[in-house]
Amino acid sequence: MPKVFAITSKKYQTPYVAVIVLGVLSVALIATNSLEIHRVASLFADLFYYVLGIIAALALRKKHPELKRSYKLRGSRSGAPVSAVIYVLMMTQLDANAFITGVLWCVLGIAIYLVCRWKYGKAGEFTLDLAASGADDVPPPEEKRAMDREYLIWKVIVSASCVIAVVLYIFPFFVK
């Protein structure tokens, strides 16, 4: 993206120019009575970014196994791809116009990336500052137990939801 979108707030360290531009675009969509299109396009984008994040996390684990990880999620090797497939299936269930619009926005985003890469050049090799990223931070035992407990609750809820969804999907086939 153009460098102006990378300008960050000194106080919060957030890309405030990008946030303001996105806010203005959102207000414009709402003002033009395009809220439904905006909602569905946002859902497509959220699902798409989840899939990208899952793929990136798996690729990072494979490409840089030497990186220290302060918290390891059990079952991520099998759960992450399953989650990605579920998100892709959810994307295909959206309204056809929303799906097509989402795909077109992705293509537009790739085109903008390629133009900016051509204009500004390829960035140098990325080096990760582990201390600044927080990757070296090991949660205290109490916090780790809390994280494990939250993960267990999440796993039970998601598993139960999947079973309920499958039962609700199959149920009409058995009721005549």
Side-chain angles (χ1 to χ4, degrees):
M1 294 299 295
K3 292 180 182 181
V4 68
F5 292 113
I7 298 172
T8 56
S9 159
K10 287 181 178 44
K11 182 176 180 182
Y12 299 107
Q13 296 300 309
T14 56
Y16 72 92
V17 174
V19 171
I20 290 170
V21 169
L22 184 58
V24 168
L25 286 172
S26 296
V27 168
L29 283 171
I30 292 168
T32 59
N33 204 16
S34 304
L35 188 57
E36 181 63 21
I37 294 168
H38 181 64
R39 183 190 64 80
V40 178
S42 294
L43 180 57
F44 178 91
D46 288 344
L47 294 170
F48 182 73
Y49 297 140
Y50 289 151
V51 171
L52 286 181
I54 289 168
I55 292 168
L58 291 172
L60 182 62
R61 285 190 178 271
K62 185 172 176 100
K63 187 174 182 180
H64 293 286
E66 77 283 358
L67 290 179
K68 186 171 138 187
R69 289 163 175 87
S70 59
Y71 185 79
K72 294 188 180 179
L73 184 62
R74 292 182 296 271
S76 63
R77 286 191 178 149
S78 59
V82 169
S83 295
V85 168
I86 290 170
Y87 291 143
V88 169
L89 288 173
M90 289 170 66
M91 289 166 60
T92 64
Q93 299 304 307
L94 294 173
D95 176 63
N97 288 336
F99 184 79
I100 292 168
T101 302
V103 170
L104 290 175
W105 275 108
C106 291
V107 170
L108 178 64
I110 291 169
I112 291 171
Y113 165 76
L114 292 173
V115 167
C116 289
R117 183 174 169 188
W118 170 75
K119 182 175 181 181
Y120 300 115
K122 187 176 179 182
E125 182 66 29
F126 175 75
T127 55
L128 179 62
D129 181 0
L130 292 176
S133 73
D136 282 340
D137 298 344
V138 176
E142 183 178 310
E143 185 178 345
K144 186 175 182 320
R145 278 193 300 276
M147 292 168 72
D148 287 338
R149 193 170 39 254
E150 288 175 14
Y151 173 68
L152 179 63
I153 291 168
W154 173 85
K155 188 166 75 171
V156 168
I157 291 171
V158 169
S159 298
S161 298
C162 288
V163 169
I164 290 169
V166 168
V167 168
L168 289 174
Y169 181 77
I170 294 173
F171 184 72
F173 294 109
F174 294 106
V175 177
K176 299 203 179 204

